Amino acid sequence: MALDKIGIAKRIAQELRDGWYVNLGIGIPTLVANYIPNGIDVEFQSENGLLGMGPFPIEGEEDADLINAGKQTVTILDGGSLFDSANSFAMIRGQHVQLTVLGAMEVAENGDIANWKIPGKMVKGMGGAMDLVASAENIIVAMMHTNKHGKSKLLKKCSLPLTGVGCVKKIVSNLAVLEVTENGFKLLERAPGVSVEEIKNATEGKLIIEGDIPEMTIN
Amino acid sequence: MINKVVKNVEDALQGVQSGMTLMLGGFGLCGIPENSISQLEKLGVTDLTCISNNAGVDNFGLGLLLQKRQIKKMISSYVGENDEFERQMLSGELEVDLIPQGTLAERCRATGAGIPAFYTPAGYGTEVAEGKETREFNGKMYVLEHAFTPDYAFVKAWKGDTAGNLIFKGTARNFNPLMAMAGKITVAEVEELVPAGELDPNQIHTSGIFVQRIFQGKDYEKRIEQRTVTPKS
C-alpha cells in the first residue's frame, strides 16, 4: 500500500530530533506537527513571524491577529515569540532553523526543486520557499511520487521553473524514502507493501538501489 | 515630543497621487492598513505601484484597488488568493514582480536602513536571479538585490502614541515595522491611539522617528482568511 498524506507526515515526523527548530510548508508538511515522536521537544517556526506555533485554536477563540503562513488561525505555545518578517528570514537564512519540510511539484536527481509556478497556468508566487530552500541545511520534500496521470515527479531534470538548485536532501513520497546524493536518488526505504520494481517504474531520474531495501515502519 | 497625529484618514493621505509607489504592510489580510486602503479607493488614484507581500482577496484588502484597476504594478511574494489578480496578470493588464518573501522583507528593511543593496542566496539559479549580479562568498552563490524607492508606506499597528511610536499584536506585525522604516512618508493607522508616555518604552516595536503621520483608525473588519479550529471537546 502506498502511503496516504497522513502516512507521509508520520514518516517525516520520525526525522525530527530533540531541540530542533522546524519550518513546515503548506499542505502535507503542516500535518507533520500532529505526529511528533514522544519524548522530544521541537519548536515550529512560521515565516510570517511566529516561533512556538501551537495547534488550531479552540472553536470561538480564533484571533485574526494570530495566523500561520498558510493564513490559518493558530495559537502560540508558552515560550513562543513573535517577530517581524525580516527577523523571520534572518532565522531562516542565518541557518538557525534546523529543518525545512516542504512540498514539490518536481524534484531532480541533483536536488533541484520546482514548486512555485506553472507558466501560463498557475502563478501564485514563491512566498518564502526560495529563501527556505536556498538556506536550510536540511530539507525534506513531502510529495507524491507521480502526478495524477501517473507521470514521475522525481526527474532527471525539472521541467518547471526552479525554486532552488541542488538543495533537496531527502524525499518522503507515498512510495519511498530517498536520499538525494551526488549520483542520484538513493532508495532508503519502501512504503509498506510497495516493491522496488514499483518504485523504479515511478522514478524517471537515476535511482540507486543498494542491497535489500527495508520497508518503512509507520505507527 | 514631536506630535505626529493627523485628525483622520483624509489628512493622513494628503499628497498621494497617481503613479506613485506605495508600500502596504500585512501578511494575507493580517495586519493590513484597512482604513488607508479604503481611502486610496475613494481617492481614485491610479497607475499605482504597490509593494505588499500579498494582493488581498477579491473583495477585500488590495483586491479592492485591483477591482477598480488602480494598480499598474504589484510587487509581492505570493498572490494565490485572488482570482481577479490572476486574471489581470495572465491577461497582461497588470505588471507583476514576484520576489522571494525574505528578499522582499530585507529589501524593505534595507530601504529604511540606508543600505542600497545586499546579497542573498534566495533565488540563485532560478528566473528570479535572471539579469542580476551574482557573486560567490565562501563557496556559495548569492544574488544582489536592491532597496526600494517608495513614496509612501502605509502600516497598521495595534497601539500607537501621539509621538508615532507603535506596538503590533501577534503576527499582524509581519512587514509593518520594515515598511514603516522605508516610507518617505509613513502613515500609521492604529486600533488605539494614546497620549505620548502611556506606552511602555520597553515594549515599542517601531520608534516614532520612522512615522510621519499617525491616526486613530476605525471600523476594523480584521477578516480571517482561513478559519481553522480545534472542535470543543
Side-chain angles (χ1 to χ4, degrees):
Chain A
M1 267 293 278
L3 299 178
D4 59 9
K5 288 177 180 183
I6 288 173
I8 294 173
K10 283 181 171 174
R11 177 59 192 81
I12 291 173
Q14 295 172 14
E15 303 286 318
L16 301 173
R17 295 293 174 268
D18 192 41
W20 276 7
Y21 293 98
V22 179
N23 182 288
L24 301 176
I26 296 164
I28 301 174
T30 305
L31 301 173
V32 172
N34 300 331
Y35 306 103
I36 307 168
N38 285 333
I40 73 164
D41 288 320
V42 296
E43 261 187 54
F44 294 109
Q45 199 251 19
S46 190
E47 65 265 27
N48 57 317
L50 167 61
L51 199 56
M53 181 169 47
F56 296 148
I58 302 288
E59 215 174 328
E61 291 177 12
E62 310 92 282
D63 179 356
D65 291 328
L66 199 59
I67 63 169
N68 65 15
K71 284 107 183 172
Q72 297 171 312
T73 45
V74 292
T75 52
I76 183 164
L77 299 174
D78 288 349
S81 59
L82 297 153
F83 35 88
D84 67 51
S85 300
N87 241 327
S88 177
F89 283 91
M91 293 174 192
I92 290 165
R93 275 191 250 94
Q95 300 196 330
H96 305 282
V97 174
Q98 277 76 27
L99 173 67
T100 287
V101 183
L102 76 174
M105 297 193 259
E106 296 177 343
V107 175
E109 63 189 29
N110 67 349
D112 288 357
I113 177 172
N115 73 352
W116 74 283
K117 184 178 185 184
I118 304 172
K121 270 191 202 157
M122 191 281 290
V123 191
K124 293 187 185 302
M126 66 292 279
M130 283 193 181
D131 309 271
L132 283 158
V133 301
S135 305
E137 287 173 77
N138 197 0
I139 299 171
I140 299 178
V141 168
M143 68 191 296
M144 293 296 158
H145 216 100
T146 54
N147 67 19
K148 54 177 183 256
H149 308 294
K151 258 196 86 206
S152 181
K153 293 164 75 169
L154 279 70
L155 307 171
K156 284 188 196 312
K157 202 171 180 288
C158 292
S159 65
L160 296 169
L162 295 181
T163 307
V165 292
C167 51
V168 177
K169 301 286 188 292
K170 207 172 225 184
I171 298 165
V172 177
S173 79
N174 53 327
L175 302 182
V177 179
L178 307 105
E179 190 188 335
V180 180
T181 70
E182 281 179 11
N183 303 314
F185 299 114
K186 186 176 174 190
L187 184 56
L188 299 181
E189 295 174 24
R190 298 173 289 118
V194 172
S195 69
V196 169
E197 205 54 33
E198 281 174 73
I199 296 164
K200 240 193 227 173
N201 291 337
T203 309
E204 186 215 271
K206 191 174 176 206
L207 188 66
I208 301 161
I209 303 160
E210 285 172 3
D212 277 344
I213 306 299
E215 211 169 75
M216 54 179 101
T217 317
I218 308 271
N219 299 320
Chain B
M1 278 294 146
I2 302 170
N3 191 319
K4 304 290 175 72
V5 178
V6 292
K7 69 174 187 294
N8 52 33
V9 70
E10 287 83 6
D11 284 2
L13 269 73
Q14 279 288 332
V16 175
Q17 288 167 17
S18 293
M20 281 186 165
T21 297
L22 313 178
M23 281 183 169
L24 300 108
F27 184 98
L29 300 178
C30 184
I32 59 171
E34 292 184 21
N35 288 193
S36 295
I37 292 171
S38 296
Q39 183 63 15
L40 285 168
E41 187 190 5
K42 215 177 275 172
L43 287 173
V45 285
T46 59
D47 294 308
L48 301 172
T49 295
C50 292
I51 303 167
S52 182
N53 188 55
N54 310 88
V57 294
D58 275 324
N59 56 5
F60 199 56
L62 286 179
L64 296 170
L65 304 188
L66 283 165
Q67 278 176 348
K68 296 266 174 74
R69 305 278 202 283
Q70 289 174 263
I71 301 177
K72 178 184 73 174
K73 182 176 182 179
M74 271 308 306
I75 299 174
S76 304
S77 87
Y78 190 83
V79 292
E81 282 88 8
N82 194 316
D83 293 337
E84 174 63 14
F85 181 98
E86 203 155 359
R87 193 197 65 69
Q88 288 186 24
M89 172 167 62
L90 292 172
S91 70
E93 291 165 61
L94 180 68
E95 271 179 72
V96 179
D97 196 0
L98 289 170
I99 55 184
Q101 197 175 125
T103 300
L104 178 63
E106 196 64 18
R107 286 177 70 183
C108 293
R109 204 196 73 83
T111 304
I115 306 287
F118 59 91
Y119 284 97
T120 175
Y124 176 75
T126 75
E127 63 180 52
V128 162
E130 280 170 20
K132 291 178 184 162
E133 202 177 313
T134 59
R135 185 167 162 184
E136 186 184 320
F137 294 91
N138 304 317
K140 186 170 172 164
M141 294 303 295
Y142 294 81
V143 183
L144 187 69
E145 296 283 0
H146 290 81
F148 292 111
T149 48
D151 296 296
Y152 281 75
F154 297 102
V155 303
K156 147 90 197 322
W158 178 38
K159 292 180 180 175
D161 69 17
T162 51
N165 295 303
L166 305 176
I167 296 177
F168 303 92
K169 180 165 162 273
T171 53
R173 193 180 323 179
N174 56 64
F175 286 83
N176 281 303
L178 312 168
M179 291 180 170
M181 291 166 69
K184 213 178 285 170
I185 295 175
T186 290
V187 174
E189 56 180 87
V190 297
E191 286 179 56
E192 190 185 348
L193 183 62
V194 301
E198 277 200 19
L199 300 178
D200 177 355
N202 290 298
Q203 307 297 328
I204 304 286
H205 295 127
T206 291
S207 294
I209 192 171
F210 296 120
V211 174
Q212 280 66 48
R213 302 173 186 170
I214 189 167
F215 69 97
Q216 168 70 57
K218 59 179 186 190
D219 302 330
Y220 284 104
E221 280 193 50
K222 295 175 87 168
R223 284 199 205 171
I224 291 175
E225 268 180 79
Q226 308 281 341
R227 189 179 296 274
T228 46
V229 297
T230 305
K232 275 184 196 160
S233 53

